[in-house]
Amino acid sequence: MSAPAEAAELAAAILEGRPRALPRGLTWIESGGDRAEALVEILYPHTRAAHVVGVTGASGAGKSTLVTALAKEARKRGIRVAILAVDPSSPYTGGAILGDRIRMRELSGDPGVFIRSMATRGALGGLARAAADGVDLLCAAGFPLVIVETVGVGQDEVDIMRLAHSTIVVSVPGMGDDIQALKAGIMEIADIHVVNKADRDGAERTINELRAILAMQMVPEGGWEIPVIPTVATKGEGASKLLDQLDAHFAHLKKTGELETRLRRIAEARVAKLAQELVADAIRHPLQGANDPILADLTRVARRELSPHRCARTVLGRTTASLTDGSH
Amino acid sequence: MSAPAEAAELAAAILEGRPRALPRGLTWIESGGDRAEALVEILYPHTRAAHVVGVTGASGAGKSTLVTALAKEARKRGIRVAILAVDPSSPYTGGAILGDRIRMRELSGDPGVFIRSMATRGALGGLARAAADGVDLLCAAGFPLVIVETVGVGQDEVDIMRLAHSTIVVSVPGMGDDIQALKAGIMEIADIHVVNKADRDGAERTINELRAILAMQMVPEGGWEIPVIPTVATKGEGASKLLDQLDAHFAHLKKTGELETRLRRIAEARVAKLAQELVADAIRHPLQGANDPILADLTRVARRELSPHRCARTVLGRTTASLTDGSH
């Protein structure tokens, strides 16, 4: 079967909710390339309805356990949940990372829950690309709640969090320096703060610190006031309140028109990244091998015969030409 | 005067080594835009001769003091030195950051030394772009030794270090976890390791640890064996040996043809970054304002009418078209 025909068949199976279609599609996505792109192309128009929630925070904050608690709470309310755990630091892929196995045990046997891990290895074209495409598949498969969980606080994680409609940043009591990192890096992407392990010493202080930081930010009239929610994820405490707040945030986004703005911003970031990846690809893997005109240009730059700025424009032109040739 | 004519005049003044031309050129570079690009365009063919040395490492390692010691040693040998201190975390620009003021006092009055700081604010088009263009100016101004110093170990720093022919990574005794970060992030870019503050307790251990890590790496026949050099920068100790090793490394690069490879890799990374920046710019600041076809495409992506992958290709085409229009 041709690649497009194969993609069309798999896409249909995913839209119908056939059990083995989704894992297979996600494996395609991880491998990247034309097949993955063809799949997303077909499914993309069907990705509109879901609420995409991002969960991030320093490692050790109990994100996996929190996501499990959140999924259980959603199931109590009859909501189907898909979880995509993205770990840029982990070499494992196509299956389960540690936190996942524990989770799978707790949530297993429930066809209303789908869990998948994605890691750097195998995610050709970058993990952020694969995560975005993966979320599309989960949305198209009809899950009304799609949770994307990342480990760590680097640029990759921030890029991945940019896919979400609502972002939860998880802290724990007594993080010390980590809260500094949070302040600098991911504070600004939080729609909801969770202080997990809230039964520990110092929880009150961490909660108050976060609230104090948030109090310094001006919230415009009718804007979203970022809540700080204490949870004890291992016992499920706070999960119900967290899910309520997620619903409230999604409703707020819809009511204020902010959802359109976010969807636009998501589209912008994603398209920019993909276009940049196409350019980087054309430079790294020139289509015509050693005779590629891009390579010849780069040699001229190295020899000081062509300026890098001028070459950048030429490379863009050549990349575009090769794309419209249909040779890529 | 027209922008190109102004750029030509300033470029000529820089090439002649007129004292006030270089600082002015670097201010242009920081501001970015057409004027900066025109300046680099003229000067780029004159950037070949210098040895560009990168110095990086965790903050507190004494990089500024080490660079000062290295500059003094170079001056003893009659070599003119330019220093570009790049600080992605600092908001100050166009002048001096703290380490610089101290340095300037020590090296001031010597017309054979040029020092300049560059920070994030004001460096339009990205700090890595500004740093690369700045290095071009320093090379074109005829300094045979150009030292680029960065603070921190993030992606920006790694990008900036990619500009260098030879890279020095500075550690200090008892860095503990920091050495882990070094291992993960910037170990692979080091051509020379310096353990500064080598009169401190634990220096021997840090040196041995580094040597043990390096000993595990295979060096091909005739390849460069990465040295670990102890220094006490405050007293100038080790600076002479470090400069010898820098000379040896540059000679090695030339002899083995590795220099051509590096220059090509530098060109590649720089062009890729510039081309990607052009794409990002076209998305962020569409030329035709609200009616820009790129904006219309992005809205269609947000509405699920156009897939992000297809849009990325369209955006590349539109960016290229707008560049060849001469409207950018």
Side-chain angles (χ1 to χ4, degrees), chain A residues 99-165:
Chain A
D100 252 30
R101 290 211 198 92
I102 296 162
R103 249 199 314 223
M104 279 172 167
R105 207 157 52 214
E106 286 206 46
L107 297 167
S108 71
D110 181 347
V113 179
F114 180 87
I115 306 177
R116 173 82 173 209
S117 302
M118 227 178 226
T120 307
R121 183 176 302 176
L124 291 175
L127 194 54
R129 192 278 307 155
D133 290 351
V135 166
D136 280 345
L137 258 60
L138 299 173
C139 293
F143 290 95
L145 179 59
V146 174
I147 304 176
V148 192
E149 176 196 325
T150 66
V151 174
V153 290
Q155 189 51 50
D156 254 356
E157 289 80 351
V158 173
D159 283 346
I160 290 164
M161 283 303 114
R162 285 218 185 95
L163 300 169
H165 306 139

Side-chain angles (χ1 to χ4, degrees), chain A residues 239-301:
Chain A
S240 171
K241 187 157 182 214
L242 179 55
L243 192 52
D244 289 346
Q245 285 292 337
L246 279 173
D247 287 346
H249 185 248
F250 201 36
H252 169 87
L253 290 179
K254 285 176 176 165
K255 195 188 70 191
T256 57
E258 169 77 4
L259 185 60
E260 296 310 309
T261 314
R262 290 213 177 189
L263 289 174
R264 232 187 148 291
R265 222 180 293 147
I266 292 167
E268 200 175 298
R270 195 166 163 196
V271 168
K273 190 109 192 174
L274 286 169
Q276 292 182 329
E277 206 46 55
L278 288 173
V279 173
D281 247 17
I283 291 176
R284 275 193 307 253
H285 310 291
L287 286 175
Q288 300 171 44
N291 295 321
D292 199 275
I294 289 178
L295 287 185
D297 284 349
L298 290 172
T299 303
R300 291 182 62 213
V301 174

Side-chain angles (χ1 to χ4, degrees), chain A residues 40-220:
Chain A
V40 173
E41 186 74 30
I42 304 169
L43 292 175
Y44 191 70
H46 307 277
T47 57
R48 186 68 204 249
H51 184 197
V52 180
V53 172
V55 179
T56 192
S59 72
K63 286 183 298 295
S64 295
T65 321
L66 183 75
V67 169
T68 307
L70 197 58
K72 282 183 178 172
E73 182 60 32
R75 294 304 296 141
K76 273 190 206 158
R77 302 186 191 181
I79 301 164
R80 295 170 64 236
V81 192
I83 301 168
L84 186 67
V86 184
D87 186 353
S89 65
S90 167
Y92 306 108
T93 185
I97 50 176
L98 182 65
D100 252 30
R101 290 211 198 92
I102 296 162
R103 249 199 314 223
M104 279 172 167
R105 207 157 52 214
E106 286 206 46
L107 297 167
S108 71
D110 181 347
V113 179
F114 180 87
I115 306 177
R116 173 82 173 209
S117 302
M118 227 178 226
T120 307
R121 183 176 302 176
L124 291 175
L127 194 54
R129 192 278 307 155
D133 290 351
V135 166
D136 280 345
L137 258 60
L138 299 173
C139 293
F143 290 95
L145 179 59
V146 174
I147 304 176
V148 192
E149 176 196 325
T150 66
V151 174
V153 290
Q155 189 51 50
D156 254 356
E157 289 80 351
V158 173
D159 283 346
I160 290 164
M161 283 303 114
R162 285 218 185 95
L163 300 169
H165 306 139
S166 309
T167 301
I168 300 171
V169 173
V170 189
S171 314
V172 280
M175 289 175 72
D177 283 352
D178 285 353
I179 217 163
Q180 296 299 331
L182 283 182
K183 276 184 209 167
I186 56 176
M187 274 298 279
E188 63 247 43
I189 63 169
D191 299 304
I192 296 172
H193 276 283
V194 163
V195 176
N196 193 29
K197 307 187 183 178
D199 51 354
R200 281 202 189 167
D201 281 351
E204 220 34 61
R205 201 185 139 188
T206 304
I207 293 165
N208 290 339
E209 265 181 35
L210 275 170
R211 287 195 173 134
I213 295 166
L214 293 169
M216 288 187 298
Q217 294 167 1
M218 284 278 289
V219 178

